């Protein structure tokens, strides 16, 4: 049976649409929003306005590239949350409008499930490697840092989560105080390649179990900058690459350390990473290296599936559609949707 799913993602500052035939990606379009750059972070009201401008052309392009007309869509999968309420509202409302106009079933998707299930998308000319259930996924994005035990596309348990900042958020904030553009994660990734990871030492958290904390690291980073700048106003400029390398390696050490412990505790050897920070080269290399050392099968997503995209929403929607788990028109966006994990 061939199922065609239109995925719509609008949780933060990227408007994205994708078309899947079963798990095969037919098209994926992402409209990014440059409007936030000069503010050094996402401005929610500007994000929702940009989504409104982008959503029709983005979906139109995705359908055309896939060669699919609306009457061929079996279901519309949309991100219900978590995310910015105004942004989610645009995608959710569009999905409902199209659903009513064309009588197409709706499937709501938890954005975090989408990141995790992005490992099940295939390309038309390439079947990608899929983890076996149960697997562990280190989910690292701008808003979330979790270790999730994934028993099925619908059964996911949070094994550990951050008690304060997310890893991506910590990188973005540290980048901001160094005067780097938003989002800081990719810039830190690039600058770190030229730096010495042992140049600076920052505080590592001591948190029970498999939970994370990044606020102490952030504070220790800020104090280092403050003290050094008092002595030398050019400190940041002169040490940018070393600061980035030391910070990034500390973040990756913290992430991977708990992941190793969780893998040992749960006896799971299929290990995946997902979310925007899984685009990071240091993290990707470390996961591959730890996997080789520990006999893990590692699942490192293609870069296009790391940051926010609608392909992951479509694939999560596909599994829910197969299960008959449809949504009704009263499914309102939810800014904090973690409870449904
Ligand atoms: O998953 P995502 O696109 O959005 C959320 O769901 O939050 O993740 C965005 C986060 C941002 O914090 C961004 O700085 C980070 O992912 N990020 C990276 C890289 N690319 C994106 N962090 C480190 N290295 C990268 N290459
Ligand atoms: Zn995301």
């Amino acid at each position: 049976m061939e199922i065609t799913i239109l995925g719509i993602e609008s949780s933060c500052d990227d408007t994205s649409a994708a078309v899947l035939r079963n798990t095969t990606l037919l098209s994926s379009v992402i409209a990014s929003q440059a409007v936030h750059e000069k503010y050094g972070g996402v401005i929610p009201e500007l994000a929702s306005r940009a989504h409104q401008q982008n959503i029709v052309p983005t979906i139109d392009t995705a359908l055309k590239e896939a060669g699919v007309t609306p009457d061929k869509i079996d279901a519309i999968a949309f991100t219900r949350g978590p995310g910015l309420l105004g942004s989610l509202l645009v995608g959710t409302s569009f999905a409902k409008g199209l659903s009513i106009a064309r009588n197409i079933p709706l499937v709501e998707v938890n954005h975090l499930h989408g990141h995790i299930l992005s490992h099940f998308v295939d390309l038309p000319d390439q079947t990608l490697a899929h983890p076996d259930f149960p697997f562990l996924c280190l989910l690292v994005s701008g808003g979330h840092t979790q270790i999730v035990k994934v028993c099925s596309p619908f059964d996911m348990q949070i094994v550990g989560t951050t008690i304060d900042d997310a890893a991506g958020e910590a990188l973005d904030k540290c980048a901001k105080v160094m005067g780097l553009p938003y989002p800081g994660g990719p810039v830190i990734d690039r600058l770190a390649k030229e730096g010495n990871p042992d140049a600076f030492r920052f505080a590592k958290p001591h948190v029970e179990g498999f939970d994370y904390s990044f606020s102490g690291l952030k504070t220790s980073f800020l104090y280092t900058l403050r003290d050094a700048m008092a002595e030398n106003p050019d400190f940041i400029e002169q040490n940018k690459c070393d600061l980035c390398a030391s910070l990034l390696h500390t973040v990756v050490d913290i992430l991977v350390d708990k992941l190793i412990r969780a893998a040992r505790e749960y006896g799971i050897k299929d290990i995946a990473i997902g979310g925007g920070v899984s685009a990071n080269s240091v993290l990707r290399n470390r996961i591959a290296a730890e996997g080789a050392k520990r006999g893990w099968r590692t699942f490192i997503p293609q870069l296009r599936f790391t940051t926010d995209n609608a392909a992951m929403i479509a694939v999560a929607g596909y599994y829910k559609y197969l299960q008959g788990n449809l949504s009704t028109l009263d499914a309102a966006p939810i800014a904090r949707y973690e409870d449904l994990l």
Side-chain angles (χ1 to χ4, degrees):
M1 190 172 49
E2 291 210 325
I3 306 290
T4 303
I5 307 279
L6 169 65
I8 300 175
E9 154 64 32
S10 72
S11 66
C12 189
D13 60 341
D14 291 316
T15 320
S16 175
V19 178
L20 282 195
R21 173 128 329 128
N22 296 339
T23 57
T24 301
L25 186 63
L26 300 186
S27 68
S28 173
V29 178
I30 300 176
S32 298
Q33 304 180 357
V35 62
H36 309 287
E37 271 162 23
K38 61 175 176 284
Y39 301 102
V42 177
I43 310 293
E45 182 53 33
L46 295 179
S48 36
R49 285 187 212 171
H51 280 302
Q52 274 183 319
Q53 286 177 347
N54 293 342
I55 193 138
V56 172
T58 301
I59 290 173
D60 196 44
T61 308
L63 289 175
K64 286 201 176 107
E65 281 183 9
V68 165
T69 48
D71 56 303
K72 296 284 183 293
I73 302 171
D74 293 294
I76 304 164
F78 67 97
T79 305
R80 188 175 176 193
L84 301 171
L85 210 50
S87 293
L88 291 165
L89 200 55
V90 177
T92 307
S93 305
F94 188 93
K96 289 178 186 174
L98 188 60
S99 164
I100 296 169
R102 299 293 184 135
N103 200 21
I104 306 170
L106 280 175
V107 184
E108 69 192 64
V109 170
N110 180 325
H111 180 84
L112 305 178
H113 287 193
H115 274 303
I116 292 167
L117 296 174
S118 66
H119 287 281
F120 295 89
V121 178
D122 290 312
L123 301 177
D125 52 352
Q126 193 184 2
T127 303
L128 300 176
H130 307 311
D132 285 338
F133 299 109
F135 66 94
L136 285 185
C137 184
L138 173 65
L139 171 61
V140 268
S141 70
H144 296 84
T145 300
Q146 299 176 338
I147 299 174
V148 180
K149 183 182 173 197
V150 188
C151 299
S152 83
F154 321 104
D155 181 3
M156 305 190 190
Q157 295 150 21
I158 300 174
V159 166
T161 187
T162 182
I163 57 171
D164 41 57
D165 285 10
E169 183 182 2
L171 289 174
D172 292 343
K173 286 177 179 169
C174 291
K176 193 169 183 176
V177 298
M178 285 190 283
L180 302 176
Y182 180 88
V187 186
I188 290 179
D189 194 359
R190 187 160 40 81
L191 293 175
K193 292 189 170 73
E194 314 291 324
N196 170 11
D198 299 317
F200 299 97
R201 206 163 281 271
F202 303 118
K204 286 194 181 167
H206 299 281
V207 184
E208 290 282 302
F210 305 119
D211 285 342
Y212 288 111
S213 164
F214 289 97
S215 71
L217 166 61
K218 188 182 64 188
T219 307
S220 124
F221 185 81
L222 291 180
Y223 282 179
T224 301
L225 293 190
R226 186 197 60 182
D227 295 348
M229 292 292 278
E231 304 268 315
N232 170 14
D234 296 325
F235 173 78
I236 293 180
E237 204 44 51
Q238 290 165 355
N239 294 278
K240 213 172 251 179
C241 295
D242 285 350
L243 284 167
C244 287
S246 301
L247 173 67
L248 185 54
H249 281 262
T250 310
V251 168
V252 169
D253 282 350
I254 297 169
L255 288 171
V256 174
D257 178 58
K258 289 277 166 103
L259 183 63
I260 291 170
R261 290 195 219 181
R264 203 180 293 137
E265 167 84 14
Y266 287 86
I268 292 178
K269 286 184 176 288
D270 272 18
I271 307 291
I273 56 174
V277 182
S278 71
N280 186 266
S281 53
V282 175
L283 177 62
R284 295 166 77 89
N285 291 339
R286 263 299 283 289
I287 294 289
E290 293 295 341
K293 195 158 85 189
R294 294 167 197 283
W296 295 346
R297 289 205 307 162
T298 55
F299 299 86
I300 298 169
Q302 291 198 345
L303 287 178
R304 66 173 117 176
F305 299 131
T306 56
T307 46
D308 291 346
N309 65 88
M312 68 187 200
I313 302 304
V315 79
Y318 167 73
Y319 289 116
K320 287 184 89 170
Y321 177 79
L322 285 187
Q323 210 197 19
N325 192 350
L326 303 179
S327 297
T328 54
L329 287 172
D330 54 13
I334 303 177
R336 296 183 61 83
Y337 202 29
E338 290 88 334
D339 299 346
L340 289 185
L341 250 187

